[in-house]
Amino acid sequence: CYCHCECYSKPKGFFYVCIIYLLAIKVGCSVPAARKTGTTICGVVFKDGVVLGADTRATEGMIVADKNCSKIHYISPNIYCCGAGTAADTEMTTQLISSNLELHSLSTGRLPRVATANRMLKQMLFRYQGYIGAALVLGGVDCNGPHLYSIYPHGSTDKLPYVTMGSGSLAAMAVFEDRYKPDMEEDAAKQLVRDAIAAGIFNDLGSGSNIDLCVITKSKVNYIRPHDEANKKGVRTGDYKYKRGTTGVLTKAVTPIDLELLEESVQTMDTS
Amino acid sequence: MKLRLFKQERCCPRMGPGCLSAGLPVVCLFVVMCQTTIMAVEYDGGVVIGADSRTTTGAYIANRVTDKLTRIHNKIYCCRSGSAADTQAIAEIVAYQLGFHSIELDEPPLVETAANLFRASCYRYREELTAGILVAGWDKRKGGQVYSVPIGGMLVRQPVSVGGSGSTYIYGFMDANYKPGMNKEQCMELTAAALSLAMERDGSSGGVVRLASISEEGVERRVILGNQLPKFSTH
């Protein structure tokens, strides 16, 4: 690959990647399709439960499709799930597992466990071999305490005390690695998650707008939307509208238009 | 073997960290891999297994404290390398099958049975899977055993086996330092030393060293943190 750079005097970075791209096509490797995940989601386990956080930007290529979308999905009264990746896939996957989990819970007569939701999600995603582009952060509190899982589109999962996913995950993980401590208080945990998502919002082009939080404890769930409006829309100080009377009126002529009724037909609506 | 891994690489919609700097709208897509270093050693009375703790998506470390020593049954464990999704799924399926079989038998299952279950799945779906597994454990019939099920679905019993991308760096060390007839502590030291050496040289291996010894008494697990690893180079 080094010898191909000789023809180009432009900055190395851009053309180097182009050459690799063309070389890959020539060799016959399948070139990956462009698809931006455009999200920062994260979760952290604290003393009494878990805190889940997400930004609120949904992108279609380089355009923001939704400035305030909700990425924290309901799975069961004690389990919530943040979703990164293809929005349709995360939405449908979480709804399907939520429905199945409710039936399972009615069948067992018990509150569902986070490990159960994790198993259902990973087995479904593995079955579709990564074609369902859903990267999830699953968190909740059950009879065994608070649990947090990260689930990748191919179906692998990790059980960890703090996780981040999405295009802004590196920025958020940097904040976590610096300031995470085991057994934090609720306020400290909320502040940490808020700062991690903010890092993603301000340093990643695919993430933006507001910060949503979901605090899950044994007794209650606090769905805070928005927790922090990090990007408020500015208020316009001026106005381009001209007031009535700016242009002087010289003459005014009013002509009423007479409409003649030619035909009238009544069709009754079928209300049976 | 490494070329085959690359060609089979499937895409997952996760942004590769290097691509933003190129300025192109094209995104590099990566599979979550446990390209790792795993090892299993037999001794008289049991086995010692060890693994590093790194899981990567491309150049980003998705989990730096992974537990690649997965319990299949009370005294049967497996070391996973290759695609994280594939190996987790296979291990869970085999754990279910073995648990069911053990209830039918009303007896603890044999390590050879577990290894054959792994081999059956890995060989049948060899075109779709990327999984290199070491099955190790203790049973009453043959004592401590190590079975290797590499990519492709072969099954072979070996007294000592290494696997994963970092294993290539320690074959020489293994050949020079493994002697049959070592006891448990010597096996632990050998495994820890070999894994440290591999982690030092292989970019896809790192983190902490997880060790476990399985014998008639049960399973004993140990973690050796980064700063406590045996040191070999002075610079």
Side-chain angles (χ1 to χ4, degrees), chain B residues 65-125:
Chain B
V65 286
T66 327
D67 185 9
K68 299 179 191 177
L69 308 176
T70 309
R71 179 191 171 277
I72 304 296
H73 204 259
N74 287 351
K75 296 210 177 98
I76 304 174
Y77 274 64
C78 78
C79 308
R80 301 183 288 110
S81 75
S83 156
D86 289 350
T87 53
Q88 280 183 15
I90 296 169
E92 281 166 16
I93 288 168
V94 170
Y96 159 77
Q97 291 172 329
L98 199 68
F100 193 86
H101 171 70
S102 170
I103 288 172
E104 284 182 322
L105 245 52
D106 198 22
E107 240 182 54
L110 300 175
V111 187
E112 192 171 352
T113 315
N116 269 292
L117 286 169
F118 270 108
R119 195 255 311 133
S121 295
C122 291
Y123 183 71
R124 177 177 283 246
Y125 298 107

Side-chain angles (χ1 to χ4, degrees), chain A residues 14 17 21 29 32-34 36-37 119 122 126 129 133 152-158 160 162 165 169-170 173 177, chain B residues 6 10-15 17 20 22 24-27 29 31-32 60 62-65 84-86 88-89 92:
Chain A
F14 180 81
V17 178
Y21 209 80
C29 294
K36 223 168 155 78
T37 57
R119 267 299 166 104
K122 80 180 320 188
F126 184 76
Q129 286 291 294
Y152 291 83
H154 281 265
S156 60
T157 65
D158 291 309
L160 292 164
Y162 54 95
M165 297 282 255
S169 64
L170 268 67
M173 185 51 94
E177 288 284 21
Chain B
F6 176 80
R10 264 165 252 112
C11 297
C12 117
R14 190 189 164 108
M15 180 83 95
L20 270 172
L24 286 174
V26 175
V27 171
L29 309 173
V31 164
V32 179
Y60 179 67
N63 188 355
R64 60 180 168 86
V65 286
D86 289 350
Q88 280 183 15
E92 281 166 16

Side-chain angles (χ1 to χ4, degrees), chain A residues 1-2 5 8 11-22:
Chain A
C1 301
Y2 176 78
C5 294
Y8 300 94
K12 194 185 179 206
F14 180 81
F15 282 90
Y16 183 68
V17 178
C18 269
I19 293 156
I20 301 299
Y21 209 80
L22 294 166

Side-chain angles (χ1 to χ4, degrees), chain A residues 220-241:
Chain A
K220 65 171 172 52
V221 170
N222 207 357
Y223 193 109
I224 313 166
R225 179 176 153 78
H227 170 71
D228 196 336
E229 277 182 42
N231 292 288
K232 268 207 184 63
K233 190 166 181 166
V235 176
R236 240 173 255 201
T237 51
D239 196 7
Y240 283 112
K241 271 210 180 75

Side-chain angles (χ1 to χ4, degrees), chain A residues 193-264:
Chain A
V193 170
R194 185 248 156 232
D195 289 342
I197 302 289
I201 285 173
F202 293 118
N203 298 98
D204 173 42
L205 299 178
S207 311
S209 298
N210 311 326
I211 300 166
D212 288 349
L213 281 192
C214 184
V215 183
I216 309 172
T217 53
K218 192 141 187 84
S219 44
K220 65 171 172 52
V221 170
N222 207 357
Y223 193 109
I224 313 166
R225 179 176 153 78
H227 170 71
D228 196 336
E229 277 182 42
N231 292 288
K232 268 207 184 63
K233 190 166 181 166
V235 176
R236 240 173 255 201
T237 51
D239 196 7
Y240 283 112
K241 271 210 180 75
Y242 290 106
K243 283 202 246 326
R244 202 174 263 271
T246 309
T247 309
V249 177
L250 294 178
T251 52
K252 192 161 131 179
V254 178
T255 316
I257 300 170
D258 288 321
L259 294 172
E260 198 185 311
L261 184 65
L262 289 175
E263 193 192 316
E264 189 180 334

Side-chain angles (χ1 to χ4, degrees), chain A residues 138-153:
Chain A
L138 176 76
V141 179
D142 59 28
C143 56
N144 290 337
H147 303 281
L148 185 67
Y149 292 88
S150 68
I151 306 167
Y152 291 83

